[in-house]
Amino acid sequence: MQRNTWEAAFEDRRETIIQDWETFLRFPSIGTDPANKADCDACAQWLSNRLQQSGFTAQIVPTTGNPFVYAVRPGNPDKPAILVYGHYDVQPVDPLGDWTTPPFEPTWRNDRLYARGAQDNKGQIFYTICAIETLIAAQNLDRTIIFIIEGEEEFGSDGLNQALDAWRDQIQAEALLVHDTGTVSSGAPTLIMGLRGILQFEFTLQGATHDLHSGVHGGIAPNAAQAAATICASLHDATGRVAVPGFYDGVQPPSDHERELAAADATTPESYCQQTGTTPDGGMRDLPTYERVGFLPTLEINGIHSGYGGPGSKTIIPAQAIIKLSARIVQGQDPQALIDSVCQYIKDQTPPGIKLEITQAHIGGPGLRFAPDAPLLPYAERALAAVKPGENLVHRWEGASIPIVARLAEVSGATPLLTGFGHENDRIHAPNESFSLEQFRNGFLYTCLLLAQR
Ligand SMILES: [Zn+2]
């Protein structure tokens, strides 16, 4: 069936879809705040009831934190299942005074619905649910559909992560649909082709037991601030390459096809400067920006803290320094091996007289890269092209991380299909979050066109 069939189906149900979307947004499901635990439970219950009414077998699965909703509707047993992931938890709302209308009282202004979660992720998971209901009603869906909608995405997905292994058999699928991203700034439809993984580190450097007089001890005492500076300066060579031995182990350069697709989405120095106020001169300057962000790992200094930063001067030799680092890693790299290499390197660089303590070395998740010939990808490309005819489809190898996606892909065996209809001006995570009816409807049409029985 064609686009106009699904457009008509949307128009038919438009009033109730909007009403129910607003109901979903009224739950103050701020996942990270214990004060909102009952709201999160109620929101999960609402979702579960909703999916049950649409013919799914749904259940609320308790975790160490907020529950997740698991729902399944069996299809043709000869065809592999589709797993859909989303989250019902939302970011906190402060500063509350900056909201034009209250965050949990959904309000329409100029065809945009304003509320916390309007886009991230309630808006995007809800158009997905509505589209699947529409396909079921039209008897146009023959795949088994499995939903996992969790309540802790905005702060690490711990509960789902821990529970997931027990659900391995129930979530085996061919494709993993994740509608939690946005389009490029031009609004052109965007398919995410990869995500980087993340590692986080914190190191404490201790010299003397207390700050020392810089006159009495200057020239003798080891300086923790200087040690931090020396270590941080040793992390990269003059070309911007990470100097830690083994840091690039497992990295696979992009294929010619990937290069061609990624280059079409390249950042120019001008556009980068407009976005950020600076030039794209960090990292390995000699390589194209798309390769540095999408296909290579990085090690960034997130913070160095030591000594005196207040007004005037204070003549001390700082006793302590803290370094915070994060690495973004790519598919094919072993997160634990990288943790070990980075920690060993920092140990080796620590000057005499300074005691090193590794206060954090955390694996957020591995990197992911999707083959351009992955199953369902051509259907996703066609569906996106049909939603926005005449616009060039963008393939983006994303530099950021969604760690739970890598875990879900690994446990379910599914290939992730990541896309979404968010825009920068939706202001997710900020006051006055919103999502337009147009974006919502595009997401609905895309999901219908992707999943309609072929
Ligand atoms: Zn978010």
Side-chain angles (χ1 to χ4, degrees), residues 87 91 120-121 153-154 180 428-429:
H87 62 94
Q91 283 278 326
D120 176 20
N121 177 241
E153 192 273 348
E154 299 291 6
D180 198 15
I428 60 169
H429 295 206

Side-chain angles (χ1 to χ4, degrees), residues 109-254:
R109 291 194 287 281
N110 305 322
D111 269 340
R112 299 188 73 85
L113 186 54
Y114 286 82
R116 170 59 84 228
Q119 194 247 82
D120 176 20
N121 177 241
K122 286 177 173 173
Q124 300 223 59
I125 189 63
F126 195 59
Y127 70 61
T128 311
I129 292 173
C130 293
I132 288 171
E133 289 168 346
T134 302
L135 290 164
I136 293 171
Q139 299 189 320
N140 221 284
L141 185 67
D142 67 346
R143 296 283 197 125
T144 296
I145 301 285
I146 305 162
F147 276 101
I148 285 198
I149 306 175
E150 66 148 320
E152 299 187 311
E153 192 273 348
E154 299 291 6
F155 60 109
S157 304
D158 280 352
L160 178 57
N161 229 323
Q162 286 168 38
L164 213 50
D165 278 320
W167 289 80
R168 188 174 290 266
D169 291 346
Q170 286 101 307
I171 63 170
Q172 291 303 302
E174 179 183 47
L176 166 62
L177 261 52
V178 184
H179 299 163
D180 198 15
T181 54
T183 63
V184 291
S185 52
S186 70
T190 307
L191 261 175
I192 304 296
M193 300 296 292
L195 293 167
R196 287 196 287 193
I198 183 167
L199 310 175
Q200 282 155 303
F201 302 91
E202 185 184 303
F203 301 97
T204 304
L205 303 166
Q206 188 74 45
T209 52
H210 52 279
D211 290 349
L212 298 174
H213 189 290
S214 71
V216 176
H217 294 275
I220 310 172
N223 185 316
Q226 191 179 346
T230 305
I231 290 169
C232 287
S234 76
L235 294 175
H236 300 84
D237 71 15
T239 68
R241 202 180 150 84
V242 177
V244 174
F247 193 76
Y248 294 92
D249 286 0
V251 174
Q252 297 289 326

Side-chain angles (χ1 to χ4, degrees), residues 237-442:
D237 71 15
T239 68
R241 202 180 150 84
V242 177
V244 174
F247 193 76
Y248 294 92
D249 286 0
V251 174
Q252 297 289 326
S255 68
D256 289 346
H257 185 207
E258 285 173 322
R259 237 175 237 291
E260 191 187 318
L261 291 172
D265 178 37
T267 308
T268 62
E270 295 71 34
S271 70
Y272 192 74
C273 193
Q274 218 161 34
Q275 263 180 55
T276 66
T278 185
T279 50
D281 286 319
M284 291 192 263
R285 263 196 299 284
D286 296 341
L287 296 176
T289 51
Y290 67 80
E291 190 168 343
R292 281 142 66 190
V293 171
F295 296 93
L296 284 168
T298 62
L299 185 60
E300 295 292 341
I301 301 160
N302 303 134
I304 310 176
H305 294 267
S306 187
Y308 182 67
S313 64
K314 187 180 181 199
T315 48
I316 52 163
I317 296 172
Q320 198 183 64
I322 289 169
I323 304 171
K324 284 178 187 273
L325 307 178
S326 61
R328 299 284 174 166
I329 63 175
V330 298
Q331 178 165 299
Q333 297 197 280
D334 176 350
Q336 189 57 53
L338 282 171
I339 291 260
D340 296 345
S341 315
V342 171
C343 291
Q344 185 57 51
Y345 185 77
I346 304 276
K347 269 184 208 160
D348 295 345
Q349 302 301 314
T350 303
I354 299 287
K355 211 175 101 225
L356 173 75
E357 195 189 340
I358 302 165
T359 27
Q360 190 194 23
H362 173 74
I363 300 174
L368 267 181
R369 184 160 138 204
F370 318 132
D373 58 356
L376 284 188
L377 195 64
Y379 298 101
E381 290 172 340
R382 250 174 277 158
L384 283 172
V387 170
K388 294 206 140 193
E391 289 193 42
N392 280 335
L393 176 60
V394 175
H395 294 78
R396 171 161 287 184
W397 280 263
E398 177 69 58
S401 314
I402 314 179
I404 192 66
V405 173
R407 267 283 281 162
L408 275 166
E410 180 244 315
V411 177
S412 67
T415 302
L417 261 186
L418 269 82
T419 191
F421 292 85
H423 290 167
E424 186 61 36
N425 66 358
D426 299 338
R427 301 208 181 172
I428 60 169
H429 295 206
N432 301 311
E433 177 177 353
S434 68
F435 201 38
S436 71
L437 189 61
E438 170 77 16
Q439 289 164 288
F440 185 98
R441 202 183 64 135
N442 283 341

Side-chain angles (χ1 to χ4, degrees), residues 63-76:
T63 72
T64 50
N66 294 324
F68 65 87
V69 177
Y70 171 86
V72 61
R73 181 180 178 273
N76 182 343

